[in-house]
Amino acid sequence: MASDSSPVPVPATTGTVTTAVPARLDRLPWSRWHWMIVIGLGTVWILDGLEVTIVGNVAGRLAEEGSGLDITAAQVTGVAAALYVAGACSGALFFGWLTDRYGRKRLFMVTLVVYLGATAMTALSFESWWFFLFRFLTGFGIGGEYAAINSAIDELIPSLYRGRVDLVINGSYWLGAIGGALLSVVMLDTDVFPKDLGWRLSFALGVVLGLVVLLVRRHVPESPRWQFIHGRAEEAEELVTSVEHRIEREKGERLPPPAGEITVHQRRSIGFGLIARTVFGRYPRRAFLGLSLFIGQAFLYNAITFGFGTILTTFFEVPTGNTGYYFAVIAAGNFLGPLLLGKLFDTLGRRIMISSTYLLSGVLLFGTAWLFDRGSLTATTMTACWCVVLFFASAGASSAYLTVSEVFPMETRAMAIAFFYALGTAAGGISGPLIFAELTSSGVVGDTALAFRIGAALMCAAGVVAAFLAVKAERRSLEDIAEPLSVAKAAPADWP
């Protein structure tokens, strides 16, 4: 099949280099070095889950008299949630461009510092405007993390394991959600902490954990794939050689020879125009796929889970201090999805797994909406339904990040992640919380059921798109899935 458009022009280069770095990285067996990558980069999603869950669970407490803030629960789950997502979208685009230009490592250090500082300031909130401002800036840092880290992970993990590792790392968000849910139970207990202190300490704990991650992350290297394209081929060769020697000592055997080499024209940077022509001109079907996946999962998660605590308190009269127990259960279901299904994305394949997880979660959510509208659910059975829905939805949502990080050329990877995250999340994650907060605060069952149905419809639509357009990327090198723009030969075809 021919490319969707004429080849994209290559800007001024800094030299030509032939390297086997991608093949050398892909043929590495799993090792302690890879675990260091996973721990150093993946644990930030735990912090993100902790952060978002705490906000959702303390919404009711912040609205109570004596909390130290003059704010309503609807403002916390609506305005503040939308500002958090708006910050994440802005941060993804800003830091995504910097990540492709200046490297993965510099930016995944900077974005974590931004996140930590904003979270600390959130804990010191004394007025609603201050809370709103630093929710935006916290999201700004997290958005940058999504772009910098997902690109680094996919470029460092061998192709045999890339799908499951990416899914589990993105799914680890829900480990943080479990921690945030259980933590909020303690922090909201007025027998333990005063009303105006417990929620502040919850945010402060996130800062402490983030500092630990920052220390570990110092040892995570720059992506060799980024290095050899950006005029640092010798550093890339030295890094990969040192990793190979380390793994050979660990395994006690020699590594097999790499499968091949690639020749590229090195470059210092890449402009927005070339990125746009590549993503939308050369790969329009992949672009539509990425947008569909992100809109579906963003609306489901940002519109509905942000307000789960409000649903429990409004419709099932669950005390605000007990919502964390329920949320911990659905968070566990969310993490188990990528953990148990992740390997199938590398064995059965991307297309069947992405489409089936989206479609299954959408159909199950339609069923949950029907039962909720009929008044057939209790707080416990509602939570059980959500647990099953999100078991599949979480694997699907994680695969959205995996998809856009592996189906576009390396030079555009961080910016592609940023763009689709920002656009999809803006569509579902900014409008979603605002609409959903209004629907749940009305206290009308039919309004909340409608929100469920909208989320279900978007997930099903994305599943249908994936069934036709998902790329068969399992166990393939990133350079095989989407040839680098800098490669010293003709541009590749856009195979489905």
Side-chain angles (χ1 to χ4, degrees):
M1 183 180 296
S3 176
D4 290 305
S5 68
S6 58
V8 177
V10 177
T13 60
T14 60
T16 302
V17 61
T18 298
T19 179
V21 162
R24 291 166 68 187
L25 288 171
D26 279 337
R27 64 74 151 95
L28 294 176
W30 192 261
S31 66
R32 287 192 292 268
W33 184 78
H34 294 106
W35 278 117
M36 183 266 292
I37 301 297
V38 169
I39 294 171
L41 297 182
T43 45
V44 75
W45 294 167
I46 297 177
L47 294 178
D48 188 20
L50 182 76
E51 174 87 16
V52 172
T53 306
I54 286 174
V55 173
N57 286 326
V58 304
R61 175 55 48 82
L62 289 174
E64 295 175 2
E65 186 177 352
S67 70
L69 276 183
D70 183 16
I71 196 170
T72 67
Q75 286 178 315
V76 177
T77 59
V79 177
L83 286 171
Y84 178 87
V85 175
C89 295
S90 304
L93 292 171
F94 178 71
F95 289 119
W97 176 70
L98 294 178
T99 297
D100 278 334
R101 187 179 182 88
Y102 296 109
R104 292 17 176 164
K105 180 162 186 172
R106 288 184 185 179
L107 272 298
F108 64 58
M109 296 296 286
V110 170
T111 52
L112 182 55
V113 170
V114 171
Y115 164 80
L116 292 175
T119 300
M121 291 298 101
T122 302
L124 300 177
S125 296
F126 57 92
E127 292 284 353
S128 58
W129 66 265
W130 180 282
F131 184 81
F132 294 148
L133 171 63
F134 285 103
R135 289 308 295 157
F136 175 86
L137 292 177
T138 301
F140 193 74
I142 283 293
E145 288 274 294
Y146 277 109
I149 289 179
N150 275 292
S151 55
I153 288 171
D154 281 358
E155 290 168 11
L156 291 169
I157 298 299
S159 57
L160 182 64
Y161 307 99
R162 188 174 62 241
R164 73 197 75 175
V165 170
D166 197 293
L167 260 68
V168 171
I169 285 178
N170 279 282
S172 68
Y173 169 100
W174 296 101
L175 289 178
I178 294 172
L182 298 177
L183 180 65
S184 66
V185 173
V186 177
M187 294 302 179
L188 295 179
D189 188 344
T190 53
D191 291 333
V192 180
F193 297 104
K195 280 187 177 182
D196 62 347
L197 180 61
W199 64 269
R200 298 180 190 276
L201 293 177
S202 299
F203 287 110
L205 181 59
V207 176
V208 173
L209 294 176
L211 290 173
V212 175
V213 174
L214 189 63
L215 293 175
V216 175
R217 191 173 286 184
R218 292 182 306 159
H219 303 290
V220 177
E222 180 57 85
S223 164
R225 283 178 155 103
W226 182 89
Q227 287 177 322
F228 75 71
I229 283 183
H230 289 79
R232 295 164 59 181
E234 290 185 5
E235 294 178 44
E237 295 288 342
E238 291 174 3
L239 172 58
V240 175
T241 298
S242 68
V243 172
E244 288 173 333
H245 289 164
R246 183 187 308 181
I247 293 177
E248 285 180 338
R249 289 193 300 270
E250 177 186 332
K251 303 297 181 181
E253 58 184 25
R254 300 279 297 182
L255 292 171
E261 296 180 328
I262 185 172
T263 300
V264 298
H265 300 295
Q266 296 175 309
R267 67 182 74 207
R268 296 297 183 189
S269 62
I270 183 170
F272 280 110
L274 182 54
I275 292 173
R277 290 195 299 276
T278 300
V279 174
F280 296 102
R282 182 181 292 182
Y283 299 108
R285 289 171 294 175
R286 297 183 182 189
F288 183 68
L289 169 68
L291 187 59
S292 300
L293 296 180
F294 267 96
I295 288 178
Q297 65 88 25
F299 194 95
L300 178 72
Y301 278 100
N302 291 301
I304 297 176
T305 59
F306 263 125
F308 185 74
T310 304
I311 294 172
L312 292 176
T313 57
T314 302
F315 298 104
F316 302 108
E317 299 181 353
V318 175
T320 57
N322 292 342
T323 58
Y325 292 118
Y326 294 91
F327 199 89
V329 174
I330 67 168
N334 270 287
F335 178 65
L336 288 174
L339 181 66
L340 299 180
L341 300 177
K343 185 177 181 179
L344 298 178
F345 284 77
D346 286 322
T347 54
L348 292 182
R350 305 288 199 263
R351 179 171 295 180
I352 186 172
M353 289 306 299
I354 295 173
S355 59
S356 62
T357 51
Y358 269 79
L359 287 168
L360 273 171
S361 60
V363 170
L364 290 169
L365 182 54
F366 271 123
T368 301
W370 179 72
L371 291 172
F372 179 75
D373 201 19
R374 292 181 67 246
S376 301
L377 298 176
T378 64
T380 300
T381 54
M382 177 75 166
T383 302
C385 287
W386 265 102
C387 193
V388 176
V389 168
L390 297 176
F391 175 85
F392 296 103
S394 181
S398 295
S399 71
Y401 294 94
L402 169 66
T403 296
V404 298
S405 67
E406 67 181 2
V407 302
F408 297 107
M410 206 231 55
E411 299 91 335
T412 70
R413 181 161 295 120
M415 199 61 211
I417 296 169
F419 176 81
F420 287 103
Y421 170 79
L423 199 58
T425 303
I430 297 177
S431 60
L434 293 174
I435 295 171
F436 196 68
E438 188 68 28
L439 290 172
T440 55
S441 63
S442 71
V444 178
V445 170
D447 289 346
T448 302
L450 173 62
F452 290 173
R453 293 187 184 103
I454 294 172
L458 290 172
M459 287 295 283
C460 287
V464 172
V465 171
F468 289 96
L469 299 183
V471 178
K472 296 179 180 179
E474 58 274 9
R475 300 184 300 279
R476 292 171 63 188
S477 166
L478 293 171
E479 290 73 23
D480 181 41
I481 299 168
E483 201 168 60
L485 301 180
S486 308
V487 76
K489 63 179 182 178
D494 177 17
W495 290 99

